[in-house]
Amino acid sequence: MQTTIDPQEVAKFEAMAAEWWDPTGKFKPLHMMNPVRLDYIVTQIAAEFGRDLASEKPFEGLRLLDIGCGGGLLSEPMARLGATVVGADAAERNIPVAQVHAEQSGLEIDYRNTTAEALAEAGEQFDVVLNMEVVEHVADPLAYLTACQQLLKPGGLMICSTLNRNPKSYAMAIFGAEVVMRWLPRGTHEWKKFITPDELFDLISKAGLNPVDRKGFVFNPILWTWSTSARDLSVNYVTASIKPE
């Protein structure tokens, strides 16, 4: 079975596994960004599947894959909203961290140490695939996105976020986050692996999905907050795409 896993990238996140749920630790930037990520995800899923977010379990009946789930920062809120969640990660040490936290939170989540390719080969199918901050860490983005497409049911939704590739993203995501602020260990990201929005839309289309939306996640260093922008995709951004019926 082919795999797009990059062992060096997996090792980086295995080394940080114990810190997933520490809001002041190595994943501090992700904790800070998580509310805007969740808002985008929830809004897109509700719109695509006609769900009422005012109901108690709006995503009940939907099967969702959180690929590259890490410690479960997205898997847990999706489970609380009623989705049947599979959290998958290639970094083995992330899985027990996620399992223990879900158990402590009273949530049933199917966490697995596996890959998108292995799940696709096994014939797994999902209504939603969350593919957040993963594509910039794989060895072959097109092959990886193709596996994600195979995992979707016809009419299914993939939400994919990553980092743009330009001087600003280098200054903020690498020099700023890793060198100046020391939020992340040096070498967490490789700028050459970052993907522009147009490149990602092209890759998603080649993988067999229809891109339907993209937005930027913008950090305000004065207010120390994140927000969603329809125009500023210069550093962090997110896309939504649909598998044709």
Side-chain angles (χ1 to χ4, degrees), residues 23-209:
T24 63
K26 291 185 173 68
F27 293 103
K28 180 178 179 178
L30 210 51
H31 281 272
M32 293 170 63
M33 193 198 300
N34 218 35
V36 296
R37 293 198 310 166
L38 280 169
D39 183 64
Y40 183 86
I41 290 166
V42 168
T43 301
Q44 290 292 324
I45 295 174
E48 177 62 22
F49 295 97
R51 299 305 176 100
D52 179 7
L53 293 175
S55 63
E56 186 178 354
K57 300 277 187 181
F59 295 166
E60 198 163 24
L62 294 178
R63 191 164 190 248
L64 180 146
L65 172 65
D66 182 7
I67 191 74
C69 63
L73 299 187
L74 292 174
S75 294
E76 290 200 6
M78 293 300 105
R80 287 192 180 93
L81 289 167
T84 300
V85 179
V86 174
D89 205 293
E92 185 176 0
R93 290 178 60 191
N94 287 339
I95 300 304
V97 173
Q99 288 172 330
V100 168
H101 198 275
E103 186 176 340
Q104 291 171 342
S105 303
L107 297 170
E108 289 188 20
I109 299 172
D110 182 0
Y111 284 116
R112 308 181 196 178
N113 173 217
T114 188
T115 65
E117 291 82 7
L119 289 166
E121 188 169 278
E124 296 273 6
Q125 291 277 276
F126 300 90
D127 300 288
V128 180
V129 171
L130 300 186
N131 178 6
M132 309 295 283
E133 290 86 47
V134 178
V135 69
E136 73 270 23
H137 295 288
V138 302
D140 185 337
L142 179 56
Y144 168 70
L145 290 168
T146 300
C148 291
Q149 180 269 136
Q150 292 166 350
L151 288 164
L152 279 173
K153 299 175 184 178
L157 170 70
M158 180 181 78
I159 298 177
C160 178
S161 65
T162 189
L163 286 148
N164 203 340
R165 189 181 68 258
N166 54 40
K168 183 178 178 181
S169 70
Y170 181 88
M172 294 188 68
I174 295 181
F175 186 75
E178 296 182 14
V179 179
V180 178
M181 301 304 295
R182 297 183 183 178
W183 281 339
L184 295 167
R186 288 199 185 193
T188 298
H189 290 107
E190 291 183 48
W191 182 77
K192 65 181 181 181
K193 286 190 170 184
F194 290 1
I195 301 170
T196 70
D198 288 345
E199 288 171 347
L200 184 58
F201 258 36
D202 184 55
L203 286 166
I204 288 170
S205 298
K206 286 178 177 175
L209 297 170

